[in-house]
Amino acid sequence: MTQASAAPKADRRRHDREIIALAVPAFGALVAEPLFVLADSAIVGHLGTAQLAGLGVASALLTTAVSIFVFLAYATTAAVARRVGAGDLQAAIRQGMDGIWLALLLGAAVIAVVLPTAPALVDLFGASDTAAPYAVTYLRISSLGIPAMLVVLAATGVLRGLQDTKTPLYVAIGGFVANGALNLGLVYGADLGIAGSAWGTVIAQCAMAAVYLVVVVRGARRHGASLRPDAAGIRACAQAGAPLLVRTLSLRAILMIATAVAARLGDADVAAHQIILSLWSLMAFALDAIAIAGQAIIGRYLGADDPAGARAVCRRMVQWGIAAGTVLGLLIVLARPLFIPLFTGDAAVQDAALPALVVVALAQPICGIVFVLDGVLMGAGDGPYLAWAMLITLAVFAPVALLVPTFGGGLTAVWAAMALMMAVRMVTLWSRSRSGRWLVTGATR
């Protein structure tokens, strides 16, 4: 083997080690997050159907509210990683503190909106008369934990930017355990009912935020970074996050349109759609873990003025994305007959889901490319392009999906439209990655 041929292999192995070291803990943390809702549902479900229905409505509202602000993690990761690459840890942590202060401000604003409008929001989501009081109770109490939830997002971004995905994993596991114990104690031990579940979740979220703050504050003191809010820095964080907010809202609109179209097809189709959507979300966690590694690594390379290294690791992560997507697609095809009966014994639902799952399986390699390139461009701070690309994708997807009830094809056609959506995203992201316009180096973009 020549020295020239050995060098690329050594680079690939180094990139692989970096990707695995960041992606595996990130995947664990991502999977731990939805377990909060599952634990709450399992505990509250034994109180009664009305309480569980109320929890379902309130959780949907809270999840939507928090997911809108996921840019706090994404934008902070990219900005911090750039400064790490530039060798300025003081500025990196200072940037992270600006993101945390922005999270607190946004959290306070959300509380100010949710507390007085909780009954109207619950009614808007169509809660029944029996479930609505429980939904309002849970929503109002849980909204008090939103600032903590947003701080967790921002602080997670700080640690990812610092190339640390293990601490978020440990905090997520600890938060899940604490949440379960608190819910059991307050719901049944203290006999607080659904209010106890809400308070248990709020306390767990605040404890998670406190742990993150201790870690970040220690880092700030160690490197001499200021902890005080900086108006210019907070404004810069908001400006960097605005395009990612547009991207997230566009993606949420796509998912809502898909669900609305499935609902128009009939009960069996929408039930099958929800089952497939849950599997789609699980697959997304696996691929998003690689994207998170991409955000951290790409930001660091660009901050270190190494565009060649950024392009090389991007190429390697795309290979990872394709491989992961292919494996996931094969698993879906093989597990179809076993997976669907876990959720329903209704033959009509199974008949609707099985062919649609084939489309989902075939789309997974495309999803792998999309998730990776999405993470790469986020790590590069290329938010404006991501916003425009997602708006274009929404403009293509919406008319195609809305025509499904007219032209037929059932749920399989809905998921074919979802596959088309991912293909459009792949084209827009691939063309950007090939152009090299995202390779902007330096401590700031």
Side-chain angles (χ1 to χ4, degrees), residues 20-34:
I20 292 171
L22 291 171
V24 172
F27 175 69
L30 289 169
V31 171
E33 291 173 9

Side-chain angles (χ1 to χ4, degrees), residues 133-231:
Y134 298 110
V136 170
T137 296
Y138 191 92
L139 181 60
R140 279 182 165 156
I141 296 172
S142 292
S143 68
L144 300 177
I146 287 178
M149 295 166 73
L150 300 189
V151 166
V152 167
L153 284 177
T156 299
V158 175
L159 295 180
R160 288 174 181 170
L162 293 171
Q163 317 297 295
D164 175 10
T165 55
K166 289 183 180 179
T167 299
L169 171 61
Y170 300 148
V171 175
I173 293 173
F176 169 70
V177 173
N179 179 67
L182 285 165
N183 270 258
L184 284 171
L186 294 174
V187 171
Y188 297 113
D191 199 25
L192 294 179
I194 196 169
S197 177
W199 280 117
T201 301
V202 168
I203 295 169
Q205 288 161 349
C206 289
M208 291 171 67
V211 172
Y212 274 118
L213 288 175
V214 168
V215 173
V216 174
V217 167
R218 282 179 178 172
R221 289 175 175 168
R222 185 163 55 250
H223 296 287
S226 173
L227 299 174
R228 288 179 293 184
D230 176 66

Side-chain angles (χ1 to χ4, degrees), residues 271-287:
H273 176 74
Q274 288 304 116
I275 293 171
I276 296 173
L277 198 58
S278 66
L279 179 62
W280 178 277
S281 298
L282 181 60
M283 299 300 101
F285 286 140
L287 299 175

Side-chain angles (χ1 to χ4, degrees), residues 53-438:
L55 172 66
V57 171
S59 294
L61 284 163
L62 289 164
T63 301
T64 300
V66 174
S67 67
I68 288 173
F69 298 113
V70 74
F71 70 83
L72 288 165
Y74 295 156
T76 305
T77 298
V80 171
R82 274 185 176 271
R83 287 160 176 79
V84 168
D88 192 348
L89 288 177
Q90 183 185 74
I93 296 176
R94 173 66 263 179
Q95 180 74 35
M97 285 303 306
D98 291 335
I100 290 172
W101 280 112
L102 176 61
L104 287 170
L105 291 173
L106 290 172
V110 172
I111 289 177
V113 171
V114 171
L115 284 179
T117 63
L121 291 171
V122 167
D123 184 62
L124 184 65
F125 264 59
S128 67
D129 291 340
T130 53
Y134 298 110
V136 170
T137 296
Y138 191 92
L139 181 60
R140 279 182 165 156
I141 296 172
S142 292
S143 68
L144 300 177
I146 287 178
M149 295 166 73
L150 300 189
V151 166
V152 167
L153 284 177
T156 299
V158 175
L159 295 180
R160 288 174 181 170
L162 293 171
Q163 317 297 295
D164 175 10
T165 55
K166 289 183 180 179
T167 299
L169 171 61
Y170 300 148
V171 175
I173 293 173
F176 169 70
V177 173
N179 179 67
L182 285 165
N183 270 258
L184 284 171
L186 294 174
V187 171
Y188 297 113
D191 199 25
L192 294 179
I194 196 169
S197 177
W199 280 117
T201 301
V202 168
I203 295 169
Q205 288 161 349
C206 289
M208 291 171 67
V211 172
Y212 274 118
L213 288 175
V214 168
V215 173
V216 174
V217 167
R218 282 179 178 172
R221 289 175 175 168
R222 185 163 55 250
H223 296 287
S226 173
L227 299 174
R228 288 179 293 184
D230 176 66
I234 294 172
R235 187 163 55 249
C237 287
Q239 289 171 348
L244 296 179
L245 175 61
V246 173
R247 169 200 168 276
T248 300
L249 290 174
S250 300
L251 182 57
R252 296 292 300 182
I254 287 170
L255 296 175
M256 289 175 66
I257 290 170
T259 300
V261 171
R264 291 175 61 187
L265 299 176
D267 289 346
D269 289 280
V270 74
H273 176 74
Q274 288 304 116
I275 293 171
I276 296 173
L277 198 58
S278 66
L279 179 62
W280 178 277
S281 298
L282 181 60
M283 299 300 101
F285 286 140
L287 299 175
D288 202 27
I290 304 174
I292 287 169
Q295 294 170 32
I297 296 171
I298 291 296
R300 194 187 75 231
Y301 272 99
L302 294 178
D305 290 320
D306 187 0
R311 189 181 284 279
V313 78
C314 170
R315 187 162 50 245
R316 188 57 176 164
M317 281 188 289
V318 168
Q319 294 169 354
W320 270 78
I322 294 172
T326 301
V327 170
L328 292 174
L330 289 173
L331 287 175
I332 292 172
V333 170
L334 294 174
R336 277 188 315 149
L338 302 174
F339 175 76
I340 298 299
L342 292 176
F343 289 85
T344 180
D346 190 320
V349 176
Q350 293 181 4
D351 289 342
L354 286 172
L357 274 175
V358 175
V359 176
V360 172
L362 292 174
Q364 288 308 300
I366 296 175
C367 294
I369 296 172
V370 168
F371 274 80
V372 166
L373 291 180
D374 205 37
V376 165
L377 296 184
M378 283 184 189
D382 206 12
Y385 181 83
L386 290 172
W388 282 110
M390 190 59 80
L391 287 171
I392 291 170
T393 303
L394 174 60
V396 173
F397 170 80
V400 173
L402 292 172
L403 286 173
V404 167
T406 301
F407 289 97
L411 188 65
T412 302
V414 173
W415 280 95
M418 289 287 284
L420 172 65
M421 177 269 293
M422 295 303 291
V424 172
R425 289 185 70 189
M426 183 182 69
V427 170
T428 58
L429 298 176
W430 185 271
S431 63
R432 185 65 168 183
S433 70
R434 295 285 292 176
S435 74
R437 294 176 184 172
W438 56 280

